[in-house]
């Protein structure tokens, strides 16, 4: 999206406040389970994590804390915990967040800088591909989705930012330091 058409901060807050992100909603928990399951597989409760862009209902944070994982939240609108951006993490989760980045390269640089050696960044978003008819693609209809990613974009981010590995598994993207 052309930056001149980006939604205002006020519009974004209003739109995100309309989301029914109940951390106890089993459907919501199932939706985020690909990220949660990977974190549980890759790390132990000795590792500290960040839920970046957690929104009004940080369900990933709840599910990981239920398993005794130490994780903190950051969201520029709802959990503006700037102190969280001054620490290092073994893992960072970004569920349905990266498509909202107004300056994606800046945000990905920040996220990588917050990762410890051998850290992982878990992202979830719908990737665009040539098989998708953009005109009818539901994902573009959310006016707060200002950027879309393709497998080639993920590959480019890996190379440009110096991640050691980037894996795409459907909607789940894992960057490794």
């Amino acid at each position: 999206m052309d930056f001149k058409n980006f939604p205002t901060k006020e519009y974004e807050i209003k739109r995100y406040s309309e989301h029914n992100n109940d951390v106890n909603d089993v459907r919501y928990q199932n939706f985020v389970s690909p990220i949660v399951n990977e974190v549980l597989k890759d790390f132990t409760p000795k590792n500290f994590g960040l839920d970046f862009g957690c929104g009004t209902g940080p369900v990933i944070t709840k599910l990981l804390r239920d398993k005794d994982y130490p994780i903190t939240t950051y969201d520029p609108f709802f959990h503006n915990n700037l102190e969280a951006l001054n620490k290092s993490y073994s893992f960072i989760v970004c569920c349905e967040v990266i498509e909202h980045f107004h300056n994606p390269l800046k945000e990905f640089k920040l996220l990588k800088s917050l990762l410890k050696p051998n850290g992982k960044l878990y992202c979830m978003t719908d990737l665009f591909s040539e098989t998708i008819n953009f005109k009818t693609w539901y994902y573009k209809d959310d006016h707060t989705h200002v950027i879309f990613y393709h497998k080639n974009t993920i590959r480019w981010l890996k190379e440009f930012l110096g991640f050691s590995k980037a894996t795409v598994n459907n909607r789940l993207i894992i960057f490794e330091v």
Side-chain angles (χ1 to χ4, degrees), residues 109-146:
K109 283 180 179 179
L110 170 65
L111 292 168
K112 184 171 186 276
S113 77
L114 297 175
L115 285 170
K116 292 180 178 180
N118 301 311
K120 292 187 180 186
L121 168 61
Y122 303 89
C123 302
M124 229 167 78
T125 191
D126 269 353
L127 292 176
F128 181 75
S129 74
E130 294 75 14
T131 62
I132 292 173
N133 178 346
F134 189 78
K135 189 174 181 177
T136 60
W137 191 34
Y138 81 100
Y139 213 58
K140 65 139 176 50
D141 294 334
D142 184 328
H143 297 295
T144 63
H145 290 181
V146 298

Side-chain angles (χ1 to χ4, degrees), residues 13-149:
I13 291 170
K14 180 180 180 297
R15 175 79 172 101
Y16 303 147
S17 295
E18 294 170 354
H19 292 179
N20 184 20
N21 294 342
D22 178 0
V23 297
N24 296 307
D25 181 342
V26 174
R27 292 171 301 163
Y28 188 25
Q29 292 177 358
N30 288 338
F31 178 75
V32 302
S33 67
I35 287 180
V36 173
N37 291 339
E38 285 297 319
V39 170
L40 294 174
K41 184 181 83 174
D42 295 340
F43 295 97
T44 71
K46 293 180 181 178
N47 301 110
F48 196 61
L50 173 65
D51 189 344
F52 187 91
C54 61
T56 59
V59 70
I60 293 173
T61 295
K62 181 229 183 298
L63 294 173
L64 289 174
R65 285 181 180 164
D66 286 352
K67 301 280 189 185
D68 297 323
Y69 279 69
I71 183 168
T72 192
T73 56
Y74 172 79
D75 186 286
F77 303 123
F78 304 106
H79 296 267
N80 197 9
N81 174 14
L82 295 176
E83 180 62 30
L85 303 181
N86 293 318
K87 297 180 180 172
S88 295
Y89 302 93
S90 297
F91 63 90
I92 299 173
V93 298
C94 287
C95 186
E96 294 294 313
V97 172
I98 64 175
E99 63 277 5
H100 300 274
F101 286 169
H102 288 206
N103 189 336
L105 187 55
K106 176 184 170 193
E107 299 293 347
F108 274 101
K109 283 180 179 179
L110 170 65
L111 292 168
K112 184 171 186 276
S113 77
L114 297 175
L115 285 170
K116 292 180 178 180
N118 301 311
K120 292 187 180 186
L121 168 61
Y122 303 89
C123 302
M124 229 167 78
T125 191
D126 269 353
L127 292 176
F128 181 75
S129 74
E130 294 75 14
T131 62
I132 292 173
N133 178 346
F134 189 78
K135 189 174 181 177
T136 60
W137 191 34
Y138 81 100
Y139 213 58
K140 65 139 176 50
D141 294 334
D142 184 328
H143 297 295
T144 63
H145 290 181
V146 298
I147 184 165
F148 304 109
Y149 300 85

